[in-house]
């Protein structure tokens, strides 16, 4: 809709004629003189004096707040790059939604248009005011269908509600689609950006001057973590904001909320840091859901689509979703069932929590899926999670440093530059690095590696021969590898070798991520009088075939029966099929041949191949 848009054609006539409530403060300001105009309690607030001196000032609570929250709006305008007169502050953005319906829609006559599946309050607010709701569904991949939306707009359609990132899908609308709709909808267009700070797109508020029919909604409830103060924001033309102010309740923002909001807005770097943490947690949760999906694939209950999210929640499909949601609630983990929404059959919406909360969710889910005893423990290990309150007090924090590259807590997150970090991708240009920290009562292991290295290594496990073997992986795999392990060698070598295998497998798997653009398979043949055949498939299906026999009980300081066990731990945790056959006369050579063979096979398999850049090397489309 271009500049010919005339707001008076859209505001309900009774509101245009309305004389709104005014107070003497509107005339003389908030801080002027002795305030005897508003029947307040001049003695100060009747609350215990101990509350004084808290970070929120209670000193002026006997005064009504500024009806227009000028200071707050100025701070919001500064943060969001708009003018203060383009900002409305409401009691949550839910208030703004309600006011939009009241401003533009005549009861029992006008209609609004929504794009399900989407946030439910547009419909509820409309129904409260006896406004009909039309629907132009999102496509099954949750993208907008601009043509269907335009077709669904009739002469009585007053407002089109769009939500981006969308609740409950977490998906982002294309900017070009949003611009097209602002241009062609022929009615008011509301873009609800409640989750914009978690996304990699810019706010559409930059286009307010261009589209006089555009209203952008934001809130302090999500990225600022202030849902309790009820502070929502509408950004629109000065004229539209003027009408919001005309019909809102006179003092819709209370002083306590305003103070807290102001202090949050004055230090937005705190919000940005929290958003960064949530983005890392979102990647952590998504990776584990993907892993679980692969593991469960053959079982009675399987996971379906896990929708890549640009918000602080993830929508995923799971068989028997309603039953699973109820069973999770019995485990005291509450998630939202969204299976009744369009295209969301058997879907649950999981808010991203703290690391502890996210782990609790996976623990509860694994329990609900029927894993008990050793199977539960095994599954937890495969997901790289540790039981809460475990007597082992294990703390496993494996973080893919791909996800942390280039983050800057002080920068806004709604720029493409730094939120790309939340979507691990292994395109060749992204450093393929990983860091795994695995500290248990038995071993304390720190591994970091770079798949695109030159073989630089620092390895110390306390077992010299084992160090020498791991060096082979670095050197011949051209992988920079740092392995530091303090194990319980006073007991024996078992935990050290096994746990390094686990942590190294996890680090490799994290570094090559979703395997886009790599060669996937690797194999190598002979060495000296010994011959190791090592065949590797980064298939996502852990399997080890190990054909070797050793005459000696030890080679160096590692027991030969731990060789197979190391490769088993490694293959399981890098989710790979690994076949090793070794023949020869000298056990030292045979073991070394296995490690060198693995290194070469790995080097081939992780090699980035420009001819399949960006593609997953599987006809299935995922590995
Ligand atoms: N819009 C969307 C898309 C939401 O998901 C929510 C809250 N769940 C809101 C608006 C309302 O937020 P507020 O707390 O500001 O009322």
């Amino acid at each position: 809709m271009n500049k010919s848009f005339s707001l008076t054609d859209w505001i309900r006539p009774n509101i245009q004629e309305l004389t709104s409530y005014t107070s003497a403060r509107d005339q003389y300001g908030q801080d002027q003189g002795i305030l005897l105009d508003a029947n307040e309690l001049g003695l100060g607030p009747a609350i215990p004096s101990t509350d004084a001196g808290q970070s929120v000032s209670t000193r002026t609570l006997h005064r009504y707040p500024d009806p227009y929250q000028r200071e707050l709006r100025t701070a919001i305008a500064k943060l969001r790059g708009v003018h203060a007169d383009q900002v409305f502050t409401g009691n949550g953005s839910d208030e703004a939604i309600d006011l939009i319906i009241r401003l533009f829609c005549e009861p029992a006559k006008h209609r609004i248009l929504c794009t399900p599946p989407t946030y439910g309050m547009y419909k509820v607010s409309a129904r409260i005011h006896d406004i009909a709701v039309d629907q132009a569904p999102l496509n099954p991949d949750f993208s907008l269908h601009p043509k269907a939306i335009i077709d669904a707009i009739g002469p009585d359609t007053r407002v089109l509600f769009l939500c981006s990132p969308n609740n409950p899908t977490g998906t982002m609308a294309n900017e070009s689609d949003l611009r097209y709709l602002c241009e062609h909808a022929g009615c008011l267009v509301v873009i609800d950006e409640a989750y914009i700070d978690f996304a990699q797109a810019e706010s559409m508020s930059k286009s307010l001057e261009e589209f006089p029919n555009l209203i952008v909604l934001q809130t302090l409830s999500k990225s600022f973590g202030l849902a309790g103060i009820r502070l929502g924001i509408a950004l629109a033309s000065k004229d539209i904001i003027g009408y919001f102010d005309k019909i809102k309740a006179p003092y819709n923002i209370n002083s306590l909320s305003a103070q807290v909001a102001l202090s949050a807005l004055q230090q937005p770097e705190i919000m940005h840091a929290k958003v960064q943490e949530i983005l890392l947690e979102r990647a952590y949760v998504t990776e584990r859901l993907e892993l679980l999906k692969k593991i469960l694939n053959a079982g009675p209950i399987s996971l379906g689509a896990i929708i890549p999210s640009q918000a602080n929640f993830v929508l995923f499909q799971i068989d028997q979703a309603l039953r699973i949601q109820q069973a999770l609630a019995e485990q005291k983990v509450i998630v939202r069932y969204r299976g009744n929404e369009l295209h969301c059959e058997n879907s649950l919406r999981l808010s991203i929590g703290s690391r502890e909360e996210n782990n609790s969710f996976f623990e509860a889910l694994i329990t609900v899926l029927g894993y008990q005893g050793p199977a539960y423990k095994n599954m937890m290990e495969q997901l790289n999670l540790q039981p809460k309150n475990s007597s082992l007090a294990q703390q496993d924090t494996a973080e893919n440093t791909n996800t942390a590259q280039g983050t800057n807590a002080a920068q806004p997150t709604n720029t493409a530059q730094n939120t790309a970090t939340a979507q691990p991708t292994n395109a060749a240009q992204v450093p393929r690095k990983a860091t795994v920290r695995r500290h248990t009562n038995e071993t304390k292991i720190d591994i970091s590696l770079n798949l695109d290295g030159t073989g630089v290594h620092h390895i110390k496990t306390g077992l010299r021969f084992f160090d020498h073997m791991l060096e082979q992986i670095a050197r011949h795999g051209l992988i920079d590898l740092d392995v530091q392990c303090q194990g319980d060698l006073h007991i024996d070598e078992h935990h050290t070798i096994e746990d390094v295998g686990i942590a190294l497998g996890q680090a490799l798997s994290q570094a090559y991520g979703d395997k886009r653009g790599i060669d996937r398979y690797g194999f190598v043949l002979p060495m000296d009088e010994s011959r190791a055949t090592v065949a590797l498939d980064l298939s996502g299906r852990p399997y080890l075939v190990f054909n070797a026999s050793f005459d000696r009980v030890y080679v160096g300081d590692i027991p030969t029966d731990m060789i197979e066990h190391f490769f088993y731990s490694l293959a399981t945790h890098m989710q790979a099929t690994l076949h090793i056959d070794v023949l020869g006369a000298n056990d030292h050579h045979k073991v070394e041949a296995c490690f060198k063979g693995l290194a070469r096979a790995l080097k081939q398999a992780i090699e980035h191949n420009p001819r399949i850049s960006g593609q997953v090397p599987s006809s299935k489309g995922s590995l």
Side-chain angles (χ1 to χ4, degrees):
M1 192 173 272
N2 57 30
K3 304 269 186 245
S4 66
F5 173 81
S6 166
L7 188 57
T8 46
D9 295 342
W10 292 88
I11 298 287
R12 279 165 60 190
N14 60 314
I15 286 170
Q16 291 186 41
E17 283 153 23
L18 181 80
T19 306
S20 50
Y21 177 86
T22 53
S23 71
R25 310 267 161 97
D26 294 335
Q27 219 175 335
Y28 300 111
Q30 186 78 1
D31 304 319
Q32 302 298 312
I34 298 168
L35 300 174
L36 298 176
D37 60 304
N39 305 342
E40 297 152 329
L41 187 66
L43 306 176
I47 56 171
S49 54
T50 48
D51 282 7
Q54 289 181 345
S55 57
V56 172
S57 166
T58 53
R59 211 169 34 84
T60 56
L61 287 184
H62 58 304
R63 300 295 177 200
Y64 282 107
D66 176 2
Y68 305 109
Q69 290 299 334
R70 281 163 263 236
E71 202 181 352
L72 189 54
R73 292 186 190 193
T74 303
I76 292 168
K78 189 167 158 231
L79 182 71
R80 299 309 195 191
V82 296
H83 297 294
D85 58 14
Q86 293 175 311
V87 180
F88 168 79
T89 42
N91 188 314
S93 42
D94 285 340
E95 183 189 1
I97 293 168
D98 186 68
L99 294 183
I100 289 167
I101 306 266
R102 290 205 236 172
L103 275 179
F104 300 107
C105 305
E106 280 190 44
K109 179 173 172 201
H110 287 147
R111 317 175 75 85
I112 66 157
L113 181 61
C114 302
T115 58
T118 193
Y119 182 48
M121 273 309 284
Y122 317 133
K123 193 172 176 178
V124 171
S125 279
R127 291 268 162 86
I128 289 170
H129 295 289
D130 198 11
I131 303 300
V133 179
D134 295 315
Q135 302 191 333
L138 297 181
N139 294 315
D141 67 357
F142 302 125
S143 57
L144 289 172
H145 193 325
K147 184 167 179 313
I149 292 172
I150 298 293
D151 288 349
I153 293 173
D156 291 326
T157 307
R158 305 292 281 189
V159 188
L160 164 63
F161 280 93
L162 303 170
C163 188
S164 179
N166 188 36
N167 179 2
T169 59
T171 47
M172 196 79 207
N174 282 337
E175 188 181 327
S176 55
D177 286 347
L178 293 175
R179 292 181 58 81
Y180 175 85
L181 288 168
C182 290
E183 183 86 37
H184 295 100
C187 64
L188 273 295
V189 177
V190 174
I191 302 179
D192 186 342
E193 295 183 347
Y195 302 96
I196 190 70
D197 291 323
F198 303 103
Q200 44 182 313
E202 278 184 279
S203 168
M204 283 297 287
S205 57
K206 65 179 179 197
S207 305
L208 285 180
E209 309 285 352
E210 198 180 342
F211 301 117
N213 58 330
L214 172 62
I215 302 173
V216 173
L217 300 183
Q218 296 183 350
T219 178
L220 299 197
S221 297
K222 310 298 176 184
S223 56
F224 279 92
L226 290 173
I229 68 168
R230 312 303 303 126
L231 206 302
I233 298 165
L235 307 171
S237 70
K238 177 177 179 241
D239 291 345
I240 292 179
I241 299 301
Y243 279 109
F244 270 109
D245 283 337
K246 194 171 181 187
I247 67 166
K248 76 180 179 66
Y251 309 106
N252 61 331
I253 304 297
N254 74 71
S255 305
L256 297 175
S257 294
Q259 280 185 57
V260 174
L262 201 54
S263 96
L265 289 159
Q266 279 160 352
Q267 278 179 278
E269 62 276 10
I270 301 176
M271 176 273 279
H272 291 310
K274 285 187 190 294
V275 166
Q276 286 303 330
E277 191 177 336
I278 290 294
L279 297 187
L280 287 173
E281 287 305 312
R282 187 174 74 189
Y284 176 89
V285 167
T286 311
E287 278 167 23
R288 276 150 188 82
L289 284 173
E290 294 284 2
L291 209 54
L292 190 62
K293 178 175 168 175
K294 281 183 196 151
I295 298 167
L296 296 181
N297 240 352
I301 292 189
S302 56
L303 261 79
I306 300 160
I307 309 302
S309 172
Q310 299 273 326
N312 64 340
F313 53 82
V314 178
L315 187 76
F316 66 95
Q317 280 184 315
I318 186 163
D319 291 334
Q320 303 180 33
L322 188 54
R323 194 188 67 74
I324 300 272
Q325 185 240 12
Q326 288 159 353
L328 284 171
E330 280 165 24
Q331 302 283 321
K332 304 267 175 280
V333 174
I334 316 297
V335 301
R336 193 87 197 260
Y337 174 68
R338 300 277 76 182
N340 292 332
E341 304 289 314
L342 188 73
H343 308 317
C344 296
E345 192 196 5
N346 267 332
S347 291
L348 297 180
R349 193 192 68 194
L350 169 70
S351 299
I352 304 298
S354 63
R355 174 60 57 91
E356 201 192 349
E357 289 171 331
N358 298 332
N359 281 346
S360 298
F361 160 75
F362 281 107
E363 288 168 27
L365 182 61
I366 294 166
T367 307
V368 162
L369 291 172
Y371 288 82
Q372 290 174 345
Y376 174 88
K377 190 165 176 281
N378 182 33
M379 178 66 98
M380 297 286 278
E381 268 183 12
Q382 289 201 58
L383 294 185
N384 190 20
L385 299 161
Q386 297 301 316
K388 227 169 37 180
N389 307 325
S390 152
S391 58
L392 290 175
Q394 294 181 334
Q395 194 201 0
D396 226 5
T397 49
E399 282 169 13
N400 184 342
T401 53
N402 282 350
T403 60
Q405 295 292 319
T407 58
N408 181 347
Q411 294 296 317
T413 55
N414 54 355
T415 61
Q417 175 197 353
N418 54 9
T419 48
T421 58
Q423 304 287 337
T425 155
N426 280 337
Q429 66 275 17
V430 179
R432 298 189 300 168
K433 297 179 180 175
T435 301
V436 167
R437 176 181 162 86
R438 189 177 203 280
H439 284 198
T440 74
N441 281 356
E442 293 164 349
T443 56
K444 298 199 174 6
I445 299 173
D446 289 281
I447 294 187
S448 52
L449 57 78
N450 176 5
L451 294 187
D452 301 298
T454 53
V456 177
H457 50 78
H458 304 282
I459 295 167
K460 200 162 172 216
T461 65
L463 294 168
R464 277 163 302 164
F465 187 72
F466 189 40
D467 291 358
H468 184 46
M469 292 303 99
L470 295 172
E471 279 167 29
Q472 307 308 316
I473 295 179
R475 189 186 299 270
H476 296 283
L478 292 183
I479 294 168
D480 291 344
L481 183 62
D482 194 319
V483 179
Q484 302 301 319
C485 172
Q486 285 176 3
D488 52 1
L489 293 173
H490 56 285
I491 296 174
D492 70 6
E493 312 78 4
H494 189 103
H495 297 139
T496 296
I497 297 172
E498 176 183 75
D499 291 1
V500 167
I502 291 172
L504 181 60
Q506 288 168 345
L508 286 166
S509 160
Q510 286 181 43
Y512 53 64
D514 68 3
K515 302 169 197 162
R516 273 172 214 282
I518 64 169
D519 272 335
R520 171 180 169 180
Y521 295 101
F523 66 92
V524 358
L525 289 160
M527 309 202 43
D528 294 350
E529 105 299 339
S530 299
R531 192 179 68 201
T533 310
V534 180
L536 179 66
D537 179 8
L538 304 181
S539 57
R541 296 186 300 277
Y543 207 103
L544 176 72
V545 175
F546 189 76
N547 290 318
S549 64
F550 300 103
D551 295 326
R552 287 162 60 181
V553 178
Y554 270 81
V555 176
D557 47 9
I558 61 178
T560 46
D561 66 352
M562 285 306 294
I563 306 296
E564 175 169 2
H565 195 63
F566 170 78
F567 287 118
Y568 173 80
S569 305
L570 184 78
T572 305
H573 289 272
M574 62 189 282
Q575 302 274 309
T577 299
L578 178 62
H579 287 222
I580 300 180
D581 293 305
V582 64
L583 297 171
N586 179 311
D587 281 352
H588 180 125
H589 281 170
K590 277 158 54 184
V591 174
E592 192 164 341
C594 291
F595 277 85
K596 282 182 172 161
L598 170 79
R600 281 306 177 102
L602 196 54
K603 180 165 164 284
Q604 281 180 15
I606 62 177
E607 196 69 48
H608 184 260
N609 185 336
R611 283 190 294 158
I612 56 164
S613 192
Q615 295 170 38
V616 177
S618 162
S619 52
K620 286 201 281 282
S622 76
L623 279 172

